[in-house]
Amino acid sequence: MAEVYKKKIIGLLKHADYQPVKLGQLAKTLGVDAERYPYFKEAFDQLRGAGHIVMGTGNLVSLPSLAGEIVGTFRANPKGFGFIVPREANSHGDLFVPPSATGDAMTGDIVVAKVRRQGMRAGQVRYSGEIIEILERAQNRFVGTLAKHAEGWLVQPDGSSFVEPISVDDVTAKNAKAKDKVVVEMLTYPTAECIGRGVIIEVLGRAGQYDTEIKSIVHQYHLPGEFDGKCIEQARQAATEFNPDRPGKREDITDKVVITIDPPDAKDFDDAISLEKDGEGNWVLGVHIADVSAFVTGDSPLDIEAKARGNSVYLPGKTIPMLPEVLSNGICSLQPDQKRFAKSAYLTYDQNGRIVSRRFANSIIRSTQRLTYQQADKALKGRTKGVKSEVVALLKNMEALSRAIEQRRTENGMIHLDLPETELVMDKSGRVVDAHPADDSYPHTIIEMFMVEANDAVASLLDKLNVAFIRRIHPEPDALTLKNLAVLIKAFGFTLPRSPDRAAIQSLLAAVKGRDCSFAVNLAVLRSFEKAQYSPLHIGHYALASTHYCHFTSPIRRYADLIVHRMLDAYLQNRLDQAKDISAGVDLTEIGKHITFTEERADNAERELTAVLILQMLSNRIGEDLACVTTGLTGFGVFVQSRKFGIDGLIRMEDLGPDQWKFDKRTQSILGLRSGHSIRLGQSLNARIVSVNVPARQLNLTPAEPLIKPAAERKETGKSKKRKRVREKGQPPKARVQKARKQKTRKRDRRRR
């Protein structure tokens, strides 16, 4: 518990709006009650003893101040300056590095910087840094497009993390041509005076082609490639030795009605569902998960490789599996009419969807039918062609139970964000030709509810057994973040308490449902949450309102689930002491950090490739209009998202129209000072495509229709005419009133003298 509070304390003190408070107020802000105060105090004392926090004048708690030198990760800005994110939190936050002091550091490099005091501003000490050493390069290879310029051959790197061109020599050594996508290894890094130099080590293909862009993303994100010989040999041996007619001590439920529901293009079916009633009229839900642990043993070549990969990667049109396909799409996949090994969670519910009991077993199953989400939805709506009668009956019962579970979890505080996803339409060559909203029919919710319940049940069991395991945690947002969310929500015309609980957030999301601002509000709530992660810390899952939670239901594609399966297997075979020894012998914290990283890497790779493919399509649609919604406002422009394609674009301030535009942070709006026109978050806006920069991942837009009407068309009110007369005299209204007041005060003072 002390480790949990360490995380919460540091998280709160790092917040930009944190003001130093005394220990008691800190505990109150973090919601620490009397029962848990000793754990909080233990965490505080440990952090203070290690120098991570300090207690200063007036016993106010804060992070240590900047001084001397710091070590951190450098983040470069295209304008030449950058910031260092310190390894150890401090009261100042990230350290600004001016262009003249960045050396040849690049984004992601681990650097040492000398801290310099720059004086005071607004009552606060200002600091800057000078990079004096690079401890570790983030990468020495980049992917980009080759081009011939007057000064020689240059490679323009993909993405926005490194935007400077790289000079390359002897392009003929790899038969590279202009407009080829290439991999460059750095020879010298860029400085303030010179661009970097490199050598081409691989030609990926013609820029813009699907296969080339896939290779580019794989290199850029260091995604895994083919499995080595030992892994393939182990997988083939497991497939050869698999004998479903010799299941051992497994429960045989091959005669039960069991179905899988997955996307149309899925091949790795790792979860199946059964549902029956017991003698007392209660529902008995069976969640049957592919038993990967029966084929991938700990510390084997496949286990080591699966741990390194962390998860499968799903890119548009391509999957990079965590396990060889002979397992993931073969003997582990719960294919219809095939006997398969599974781990089954049997969850018994009353008619209101409340848990009555839980039971777990090793089993052998046979899927009755494989359905897509669309097929299941049609069957529930009465279009049952091609669906077996017993499966239709099962689906109806599944829907009834799912709705009861969903209602119960919602009453307990589960938060559901409505953030529509986009599904790409691709031609045979891999080019995106269109997009449409992804299917979100109710069968998705059915499977989601059942998987969440199974994950919750397994975590509850392992906690009861006092076994250390990898959890899926989602920390509660800190008080300052929730306070800022409440302020932001006011800009949408809604109210939220300064310290909103789950019920308040649920009410907000229900209030905006179906409105133009729904997407932006849901996005704002999402951004106020921390990312879910893997860790042995017992924090719970905030968004799901679960005290106990782990991942159990996808061991084919997630290593976290495979670890949990091994723990559950030890329990089922009465080898719990052995399981405790195993968990004690591995660093679950480090494993959690690694698989959290690989998950984020996969998400980022998928997001970037999706953006590339959409931008390629939009580059052929210059001048077309997009229906958008505003998602971000800054001092330099408006960020919008296309409702159809889900791609973000920027309308620069100077392109908004003939006015003096100003960003008002307090009201979260951009105001036209002359016209009075305002742009707010969540506002619908039709935007026209001006230009597309695929390598830089940029979409530039302009309003499709003028935001400001021509002067002749604007009907002037009395107030606007008065403001116009004032402007003609050379002063804005507010300035003129203030000046008049000052003159009046001076006259009064002279009379008094």
Side-chain angles (χ1 to χ4, degrees):
M1 186 59 71
E3 291 300 318
V4 173
Y5 278 115
K6 282 183 185 180
K7 185 179 179 70
K8 289 187 174 183
I9 291 170
I10 293 295
L12 182 64
L13 268 60
K14 284 172 62 178
H15 200 286
D17 295 329
Y18 173 75
Q19 296 294 327
V21 296
K22 292 184 177 181
L23 184 61
Q25 182 60 43
L26 181 65
K28 184 178 179 181
T29 303
L30 290 173
V32 181
D33 56 24
E35 181 182 351
R36 297 185 177 228
Y37 187 84
Y39 299 112
F40 164 79
K41 186 62 168 58
E42 179 187 355
F44 175 83
D45 290 340
Q46 289 178 8
L47 289 172
R48 189 183 181 193
H52 297 312
I53 59 176
V54 295
M55 189 175 272
T57 306
N59 291 329
L60 299 179
V61 181
S62 67
L63 295 170
S65 60
L66 274 174
E69 297 178 356
I70 67 164
V71 176
T73 304
F74 181 66
R75 300 287 182 221
N77 185 283
K79 295 183 179 180
F81 60 85
F83 291 89
I84 296 173
V85 182
R87 277 183 174 174
E88 298 291 338
N90 63 74
S91 58
H92 176 76
D94 297 348
L95 180 65
F96 172 75
V97 182
S100 60
T102 59
D104 62 353
M106 301 172 69
T107 293
D109 290 350
I110 306 299
V111 301
V112 180
K114 185 177 292 184
V115 179
R116 301 188 186 280
R117 184 166 173 155
Q118 298 294 110
M120 303 283 289
R121 177 184 288 178
Q124 293 186 333
V125 180
R126 295 176 60 224
Y127 295 94
S128 70
E130 178 187 359
I131 294 175
I132 59 176
E133 185 181 357
I134 296 174
L135 298 179
E136 182 182 336
R137 289 286 185 185
Q139 55 182 326
N140 68 340
R141 294 182 178 183
F142 295 88
V143 177
T145 303
L146 181 65
K148 181 69 180 292
H149 293 264
E151 58 270 32
W153 289 95
L154 298 177
V155 174
Q156 181 60 51
D158 287 348
S160 57
S161 62
F162 179 44
V163 297
E164 294 291 327
I166 303 168
S167 173
V168 292
D169 300 321
D170 195 18
V171 297
T172 58
K174 291 290 182 178
N175 295 319
K177 305 179 187 67
K179 297 185 180 180
D180 276 350
K181 190 85 73 172
V182 298
V183 181
V184 177
E185 185 170 295
M186 299 299 294
L187 298 175
T188 61
Y189 288 85
T191 64
E193 296 79 23
C194 302
I195 64 173
R197 288 184 61 250
V199 59
I200 296 174
I201 61 171
E202 187 175 352
V203 177
L204 302 180
R206 199 70 169 169
Q209 293 181 350
Y210 174 75
D211 288 343
T212 302
E213 298 301 337
I214 284 280
K215 293 176 184 177
S216 171
I217 291 295
V218 168
H219 276 82
Q220 187 177 333
Y221 285 93
H222 307 289
L223 299 178
E226 300 296 326
F227 291 92
D228 65 22
K230 290 182 179 179
C231 289
I232 296 297
E233 181 183 353
Q234 182 184 347
R236 286 175 177 167
Q237 183 177 353
T240 301
E241 295 177 354
F242 172 58
N243 186 352
D245 295 324
R246 299 178 62 184
K249 297 180 179 179
R250 293 178 178 270
E251 292 186 6
D252 189 339
I253 56 172
T254 53
D255 60 337
K256 292 186 180 296
V257 180
V258 177
I259 64 170
T260 62
I261 306 178
D262 292 278
D265 57 350
K267 295 182 178 66
D268 50 350
F269 311 137
D270 48 17
D271 58 87
I273 301 297
S274 64
L275 184 60
E276 301 174 310
K277 282 198 172 184
D278 64 11
E280 299 177 5
N282 293 318
W283 291 112
V284 180
L285 170 67
V287 179
H288 313 286
I289 307 300
D291 192 355
V292 177
S293 63
F295 306 102
V296 182
T297 54
D299 294 325
S300 64
L302 268 179
D303 178 61
I304 294 169
E305 180 66 20
K307 184 195 298 183
R309 293 180 177 231
N311 46 260
S312 296
V313 181
Y314 296 93
L315 302 173
K318 181 180 177 64
T319 298
I320 302 174
M322 185 182 79
L323 299 171
E325 292 185 352
V326 68
L327 296 181
S328 61
N329 298 350
I331 60 172
C332 291
S333 184
L334 306 182
Q335 298 163 337
D337 296 320
Q338 300 294 321
K339 291 183 178 180
R340 292 289 185 257
F341 291 168
K343 280 191 164 35
S344 298
Y346 294 100
L347 313 177
T348 303
Y349 297 89
D350 64 18
Q351 296 304 308
N352 295 315
R354 292 189 293 260
I355 289 279
V356 175
S357 64
R358 296 164 171 150
R359 183 176 74 85
F360 305 90
N362 283 323
S363 62
I364 181 167
I365 72 168
R366 177 163 45 202
S367 171
T368 307
Q369 189 167 7
R370 173 265 205 271
L371 298 177
T372 66
Y373 287 108
Q374 293 86 345
Q375 285 176 313
D377 185 50
K378 288 178 181 178
L380 287 172
K381 292 175 179 176
R383 289 175 283 172
T384 60
K385 183 179 179 180
V387 183
K388 298 176 181 179
S389 58
E390 64 269 31
V391 171
V392 174
L394 172 59
L395 282 170
K396 291 179 178 178
N397 291 336
M398 287 168 59
E399 180 183 18
L401 177 59
S402 173
R403 293 191 184 279
I405 292 172
E406 186 180 15
Q407 181 177 342
R408 186 202 83 221
R409 296 194 74 95
T410 300
E411 290 171 355
N412 290 343
M414 180 182 70
I415 296 171
H416 173 73
L417 294 175
D418 185 12
L419 292 167
E421 295 183 1
T422 299
E423 189 170 301
L424 304 182
V425 179
M426 305 171 75
D427 63 18
K428 293 181 179 180
S429 69
R431 286 190 176 277
V432 172
V433 294
D434 204 354
H436 54 75
D439 176 59
D440 62 352
S441 55
Y442 195 72
H444 286 273
T445 302
I446 293 175
I447 297 302
E448 180 187 354
M449 288 298 100
F450 292 171
M451 297 304 109
V452 166
E453 290 286 284
N455 289 335
D456 199 312
V458 173
S460 297
L461 170 70
L462 295 179
D463 268 331
K464 184 178 179 181
L465 298 173
N466 197 28
V467 175
F469 61 100
I470 289 286
R471 306 170 190 268
R472 181 66 166 179
I473 65 171
H474 186 222
E476 181 178 359
D478 64 68
L480 293 178
T481 298
L482 289 175
K483 179 182 175 183
N484 288 345
L485 175 63
V487 172
L488 177 61
I489 292 304
K490 279 189 176 180
F492 295 99
F494 296 90
T495 58
L496 199 61
R498 288 169 64 89
S499 299
D501 56 13
R502 290 190 186 92
I505 294 175
Q506 286 177 326
S507 297
L508 169 69
L509 298 176
V512 302
K513 191 172 181 65
R515 296 173 179 256
D516 276 350
C517 65
S518 175
F519 177 80
V521 169
N522 277 266
L523 193 60
V525 172
L526 176 65
R527 288 171 175 170
S528 72
F529 290 169
E530 288 191 41
K531 288 184 177 180
Q533 54 193 275
Y534 294 106
S535 170
L537 292 179
H538 194 348
I539 290 177
H541 199 294
Y542 176 78
L544 294 175
S546 288
T547 303
H548 314 276
Y549 201 70
C550 69
H551 273 167
F552 157 74
T553 54
S554 296
I556 290 178
R557 61 184 179 89
R558 293 190 304 228
Y559 189 72
D561 305 53
L562 180 54
I563 296 175
V564 168
H565 271 233
R566 289 177 181 146
M567 296 295 181
L568 179 60
D569 193 64
Y571 160 74
L572 293 173
Q573 297 193 35
N574 296 315
R575 295 187 289 104
L576 201 56
D577 289 340
Q578 182 181 343
K580 290 181 179 180
D581 291 340
I582 293 173
S583 63
V586 297
D587 191 337
L588 292 177
T589 299
E590 286 304 311
I591 292 176
K593 288 179 180 178
H594 172 69
I595 58 181
T596 297
F597 161 74
T598 60
E599 177 188 50
E600 291 178 357
R601 178 181 67 178
D603 290 343
N604 292 337
E606 179 190 11
R607 193 178 301 114
E608 180 155 354
L609 181 59
T610 299
V612 167
L613 297 176
I614 292 175
L615 288 173
Q616 286 178 347
M617 175 190 63
L618 295 181
S619 67
N620 297 316
R621 300 188 180 186
I622 303 298
E624 291 189 14
D625 294 348
L626 300 174
C628 300
V629 59
T630 57
T631 56
L633 304 174
T634 71
F636 56 84
V638 181
F639 284 100
V640 299
Q641 184 171 108
S642 165
R643 293 185 184 275
K644 181 175 183 178
F645 300 115
I647 190 80
D648 294 320
L650 173 66
I651 304 175
R652 298 189 180 279
M653 204 74 92
E654 58 267 26
D655 294 328
L656 290 175
D659 205 332
Q660 184 181 347
W661 300 95
K662 183 179 180 182
F663 172 54
D664 188 328
K665 187 175 181 181
R666 183 182 63 83
T667 61
Q668 283 295 305
S669 63
I670 288 180
L671 302 173
L673 299 184
R674 293 194 292 270
S675 66
H677 188 88
S678 66
I679 301 171
R680 299 183 179 276
L681 285 172
Q683 179 178 324
S684 291
L685 185 67
N686 287 333
R688 185 160 295 155
I689 303 171
V690 175
S691 65
V692 176
N693 186 338
V694 177
R697 310 333 188 206
Q698 292 176 351
L699 172 63
N700 298 309
L701 305 164
T702 190
E705 299 292 337
L707 298 180
I708 310 299
K709 292 183 179 180
E713 296 180 19
R714 293 202 301 268
K715 186 177 180 181
E716 294 187 355
T717 63
K719 289 184 178 180
S720 65
K721 290 178 180 178
K722 183 177 179 180
R723 284 197 295 267
K724 183 177 179 182
R725 287 197 299 271
V726 171
R727 286 197 299 271
E728 288 172 350
K729 293 180 180 180
Q731 288 182 319
K734 187 175 180 181
R736 190 178 182 212
V737 170
Q738 289 175 341
K739 184 175 181 180
R741 286 175 179 168
K742 288 180 181 178
Q743 290 173 341
K744 189 175 181 180
T745 302
R746 289 194 191 103
K747 289 179 181 178
R748 186 175 63 244
D749 290 345
R750 281 198 296 270
R751 286 197 298 269
R752 287 176 179 173
R753 292 195 195 102

